[in-house]
Amino acid sequence: MNLVKRMTNENSKRMIAILLLTAMLFSLIVPVQTESAYAASNISVGTKVSLKFGHTIRYGIGDGGYSNLMMASGINDSLENRYVFCIQPHMQTPTDGQYAISKIYTSDSGEASVLRKLVYYAKGYPGWSVGKSMWFNSGDWSDDDIYGIFHIAMAYVASGYDDNMPAWMGGTVKEFMYTDNWNKMIQIVNDCKSDSKVPKVPKGFNVFYISESGCQDLIGGTYESGTLKLLKKSANTDMTNGNTCYSLKGAEFGVYDGSKKVGTLVTDASGVS
């Protein structure tokens, strides 16, 4: 009876020792310092944008067949300088200067979704290589043709798909625009209505809208993107190196936008996420 009791006591001691060792090892895989990583969101209604004349684009004939392409800067995102597109062809182009963002489109449905696709896949924006392969992989399209087609496509959507949207100096855009360019514009707009034809844009890409009285409204894109890599290390390599009870693999770290979890980083066997 005493022998059995002694064996039980010894087993209990071994179990306690194993649990203490396990607890000590687990304490080593907790980072010495942990911090929450938050994604920046720097662009909102009221953000100031600097606009400057880029060049005149011609997409049709006569006084109603051209527009001025504007360059935007001063936006704190990953795009740096980018073109913005006038969306009221019958009105004059804004002068160079600073303008405040009036609206931001973030939705993946309806008009907002189509406008986001049109800007994202336009020449000069991140999706252009895909846009080019979808719509301009054949034919003799000049840069002016392409800029003009996207400009009118955005104006067409913003007008509520009005085939008779007015042009500069009277008449309609359709009357002045080259027929091939108009047809290509309609094709692109219709394609952008379908997620199966044109993929949704990345979540970090949104469209901003500038509205000033006496001149055309403009839209452009903003892209808040980035990469994040985490390296997990042991606090005591003398104990953990070669120790089968310790692994760098499979540790999970949350990535947050404010209080909302937007992603998870998972480490591999080397501790790299």
Side-chain angles (χ1 to χ4, degrees):
M1 191 71 175
N2 289 336
L3 178 62
V4 172
K5 186 176 181 181
R6 242 189 344 266
M7 290 176 66
T8 302
N9 288 339
E10 289 298 322
N11 287 338
S12 296
K13 289 177 181 177
R14 286 196 192 94
M15 183 61 68
I16 291 169
I18 290 171
L19 289 172
L20 287 172
L21 178 60
T22 303
M24 186 168 63
L25 287 173
F26 274 116
S27 70
L28 292 173
I29 53 179
V30 177
V32 176
Q33 182 178 1
T34 58
E35 295 182 9
S36 298
Y38 292 95
S41 196
N42 302 310
I43 301 144
S44 60
V45 171
T47 297
K48 294 289 186 179
V49 180
S50 295
L51 298 182
K52 186 177 181 180
F53 171 76
H55 70 274
T56 298
I57 54 174
R58 180 161 288 282
Y59 51 83
I61 59 173
D63 291 332
Y66 75 94
S67 181
N68 294 319
L69 196 60
M70 303 291 287
M71 180 70 74
S73 62
I75 302 173
N76 186 20
D77 66 354
S78 62
L79 295 183
E80 298 181 355
N81 298 341
R82 82 293 315 271
Y83 286 120
V84 291
F85 297 86
C86 298
I87 56 173
Q88 292 171 303
H90 65 290
M91 298 186 69
Q92 66 181 16
T93 305
T95 57
D96 293 1
Q98 276 205 330
Y99 297 84
I101 290 175
S102 306
K103 302 177 189 175
I104 294 182
Y105 292 97
T106 62
S107 174
D108 276 327
S109 62
E111 176 187 306
S113 173
V114 177
L115 286 173
R116 288 176 70 212
K117 287 180 180 180
L118 287 172
V119 179
Y120 181 77
Y121 292 107
K123 187 175 178 63
Y125 278 92
W128 167 238
S129 61
V130 177
K132 182 179 180 181
S133 67
M134 287 190 294
W135 301 307
F136 299 99
N137 60 351
S138 63
D140 186 20
W141 301 99
S142 69
D143 284 352
D144 272 11
D145 286 330
I146 294 167
Y147 284 126
I149 287 168
F150 279 106
H151 152 57
I152 295 302
M154 295 170 203
Y156 184 67
V157 175
S159 73
Y161 307 97
D162 182 8
D163 286 342
N164 296 310
M165 60 179 171
W168 181 248
M169 301 294 288
T172 67
V173 172
K174 187 175 182 180
E175 291 172 344
F176 288 103
M177 195 171 184
Y178 301 131
T179 301
D180 288 345
N181 292 27
W182 176 268
N183 292 338
K184 177 62 69 174
M185 181 276 292
I186 294 294
Q187 177 201 344
I188 291 172
V189 169
N190 287 336
D191 285 352
C192 286
K193 293 177 182 179
S194 168
D195 291 336
S196 62
K197 289 186 177 180
V198 180
K200 291 182 179 180
V201 304
K203 287 186 177 180
F205 186 87
N206 297 313
V207 164
F208 63 85
Y209 186 106
I210 295 174
S211 180
E212 288 287 332
S213 61
C215 60
Q216 292 200 54
D217 293 344
L218 302 99
I219 59 175
T222 174
Y223 199 14
E224 296 183 90
S225 66
T227 59
L228 181 63
K229 182 180 285 187
L230 180 144
L231 175 62
K232 180 175 180 290
K233 292 183 177 181
S234 167
N236 189 339
T237 55
D238 289 339
M239 180 173 288
T240 57
N241 283 355
N243 191 330
T244 57
C245 293
Y246 176 84
S247 175
L248 294 169
K249 184 177 181 179
E252 296 186 0
F253 298 86
V255 181
Y256 292 83
D257 180 359
S259 60
K260 180 183 178 182
K261 188 175 182 180
V262 294
T264 303
L265 301 176
V266 183
T267 58
D268 61 17
S270 300
V272 179
S273 67

